[in-house]
Amino acid sequence: MAVSFSHISIPFQESSIARSISLLPYAANNFHLLGGSPFVLYGGAGNFCWRFHDLKRPILKRPNIQQRNRKHVPINELISIRNQNNDQSENPSRNLANDEQFSEAASTMFPNDSTEEQTRATSHRKKSSMPNSQPGILEKARTSLESPSSFVRTHSSNLSVDDHHRGPSLSIAVIGATGELARKKIFPALFALYYSGFLPENIGIFGYSRKNLTDEDLRSLIASTLTCRIDHQQNCGDKMDAFLSRTYYLNGGYDNKEGMSKLNALMEQIEGGYRANRIFYLSVPQEALLDVASSLADNAQTKKGWNRIIIEKPFGFDALSSQQFTKSLLSKFKEKQIYRIDHLLGRNLIENLTVLRFSNLVFEPLWSRTYIRNVQVILSEDMSMQIGRYFDGYGVIRDIVHSHMLQTIALLAMEPPISLDGEDIRNEKVKVLRSIRKLELSDVILGQYKATSADKLNVSLCSLTPTFFAAALYIDNARWDGVPFLIKAGVGLIKHRAFYNAIKTYRVEIRIQFNRVPGNLYRECIGHNTDLATNELILRDVPDEAILVKINNKIPGLGLQLDASELNLLYKDKYNVEVPDSYEHLLLDVMDGDNHLFLRSDELAAAWSILTPVLQEVDQNNIAPELYELGGRGPVGAYYLWAKHGVRWADD
């Protein structure tokens, strides 16, 4: 016999139920046992269910609580009493504040639990007044020259925490808080999650940079970038004020070790000594990343919950630099703590790849070389700002192809994982990457846009920095032998109708072309161009997100004329909802411990092994990229590459 709270089953004796059930007042009148039957309790405080031989029955039904069958559930509806190790160990479930009443019940019902499995439970309280009640003390934390430990000893007597309040159960620190990425994407994504109920009410948000700012300065800096959901804007102003009141700033200075120690002291102070998990988003330049990560690992990790770090791409400059960087990271963090983020992988299109394939019988049997002729992954990027030093140093290959394009192919081509667990999916992805045939330079086209002053873009790129990359990849395994995977990624390609990203506009399209019908009875009605009659599955990203299936159809009327038509699912017509930003999706995955869209170290190494030989050959031979017009279709050489592998250009 067992009781399960938020995915944790705990064995107990039936004799212990009688004296404990009174502590569960809402369920007391609906709690029944069947002698000798497999029995578990599960659910949150508002909705308990029991499971009997794979069947679920509600124990308590509340009129305003709906059982959700979805991946993410708003944070305030979850009651988690899952204990976590104190040594940075990871927990896929969120470790949030719990109801004290259930903790008391659990301690009575489970008297034989070990210390490691005892639950720590505290109630969701009213908003804490601590941050605003001692403003002078917080300023001393940032400016004092004392060591963090002596600061805490000196001022701890002034920081009394009322019995009716507690610190945040989750703290998120944004390192590089005054940068453009943090202001325009990270903080707005955090607020969107907070507004929608996916973050705890008492969360602590910490901004860290080298600028001499105050809490109010940071709040004013990010306030203009925060927006509420279009589809529900109740209490928008109140939510925004509450979020900003939980945002704090620390000037870390130029000594990262000292700065991280001060950050740790500030976070511990706001957390009030309670158990809290920490996420660190490293939005810093690549050259500073290793020092920041090392200082953070040694001085800012909590010992009262899990710690996770988020690292932005690019992940190295080539295979060697990436390997050295990974080795340094793994000397300070466990692999399960590291989340290498690529915001393009947070798009709904990418998440829908596995859903479309593995949950629809109509597609899965066709997903092989037997029926698929080629696969095309196309990404076009329209710049609405200057490119600058970052892109000039890394180029489109290191910035986009290495992560997004290869990860998309891995998700498309992988074998079915044994489960939806992140590690199981990553295991299958890395197999695909390791199976990709060595890429020859003859199967690669490099390009660079030819900008003018009228384009209002930074044209001071290095003369050999590619802004366009096209290649033909082959996966040498039984499923995909002989099927070309053609990728095309370019900056300044065909201008789009709308801007989606506040910084850049990305448009992704995946086209899966099927083989011709053997012995087609209607070949005379199709004409000489049989490619036009090829069935296709087309997946398009925002702003016109859609799933299209191209089929051959008879035109109504007398006679027999065929037409290639599209069965289409347009998201904006079908779903009247606002599409969350990709950063919201990925940040929520980090909090959940879902890492399937984040690169693991072996995936990283496998991707670099594909591209590094080509990069070295390009650099050694000073191969100049082919020029193309800004707003055009890319270099002409890409047309010939597609034709070489028997593929019709998708834009035709």
Side-chain angles (χ1 to χ4, degrees), residues 460-481:
S460 61
L461 285 172
C462 168
S463 60
L464 298 181
T465 300
T467 60
F468 177 96
F469 178 88
L473 302 174
Y474 286 87
I475 302 172
D476 290 332
N477 62 21
R479 181 182 291 269
W480 298 110
D481 185 33

Side-chain angles (χ1 to χ4, degrees), residues 267-285:
M267 296 175 82
E268 286 182 343
Q269 184 179 354
I270 300 300
E271 290 163 359
Y274 288 90
R275 181 185 186 87
N277 302 315
R278 292 181 182 178
I279 295 174
F280 300 90
Y281 199 121
L282 307 189
S283 178
V284 298

Side-chain angles (χ1 to χ4, degrees), residues 115-272:
T115 302
E116 289 76 8
E117 294 299 325
Q118 286 181 342
T119 58
R120 294 177 59 96
T122 54
S123 61
H124 286 292
R125 304 287 191 181
K126 298 178 181 178
K127 298 175 183 177
S128 173
S129 61
M130 183 188 66
N132 295 325
S133 62
Q134 302 288 347
I137 294 173
L138 296 185
E139 289 302 318
K140 292 180 182 179
R142 305 177 183 92
T143 60
S144 175
L145 297 178
E146 303 172 277
S147 67
S149 59
S150 64
F151 168 80
V152 173
R153 288 196 302 271
T154 303
H155 300 287
S156 60
S157 60
N158 298 324
L159 292 173
S160 60
V161 180
D162 194 296
D163 289 340
H164 298 286
H165 299 83
R166 62 148 294 165
S169 56
L170 176 64
S171 296
I172 301 178
V174 181
I175 314 301
T178 57
E180 186 174 27
L181 176 63
R183 290 186 291 107
K184 291 187 175 181
K185 304 303 292 184
I186 300 174
F187 284 115
L190 289 173
F191 173 68
L193 293 174
Y194 180 82
Y195 178 74
S196 300
F198 288 102
L199 296 181
E201 286 287 337
N202 60 348
I203 190 172
I205 306 291
F206 300 85
Y208 177 102
S209 78
R210 293 174 175 175
K211 292 186 178 180
N212 189 20
L213 303 177
T214 64
D215 290 345
E216 289 303 322
D217 291 335
L218 178 64
R219 292 165 185 170
S220 299
L221 189 67
I222 66 176
S224 60
T225 67
L226 307 183
T227 57
C228 296
R229 290 284 189 222
I230 295 176
D231 49 359
H232 57 285
Q233 294 195 355
Q234 300 87 347
N235 302 320
C236 179
D238 294 340
K239 281 284 189 178
M240 193 173 295
D241 291 341
F243 177 81
L244 291 173
S245 71
R246 290 168 173 80
T247 303
Y248 313 95
Y249 180 77
L250 177 68
N251 178 3
Y254 289 87
D255 187 335
N256 285 323
K257 293 181 179 179
E258 181 181 354
M260 289 300 168
S261 296
K262 290 181 179 180
L263 176 62
N264 181 59
L266 179 61
M267 296 175 82
E268 286 182 343
Q269 184 179 354
I270 300 300
E271 290 163 359

Side-chain angles (χ1 to χ4, degrees), residues 21 72 79 83 147 201 284 309 473 487 562 595 640:
I21 194 62
H72 300 303
I79 299 293
N83 189 32
S147 67
E201 286 287 337
V284 298
I309 64 167
L473 302 174
I487 58 177
L562 300 189
N595 53 17
Y640 292 103

Side-chain angles (χ1 to χ4, degrees), residues 355-366:
V355 175
L356 190 69
R357 175 182 170 188
F358 296 125
S359 67
N360 293 285
L361 185 61
V362 67
F363 293 124
E364 175 56 20
L366 307 180

Side-chain angles (χ1 to χ4, degrees), residues 1 200 248 258 269 295 304 306 330 384 387 468 480 531 559 592 643:
M1 189 169 297
Y248 313 95
E258 181 181 354
Q269 184 179 354
S295 300
K304 298 181 178 180
W306 48 251
L330 292 178
S384 59
I387 288 183
F468 177 96
W480 298 110
D531 285 336
D592 281 337

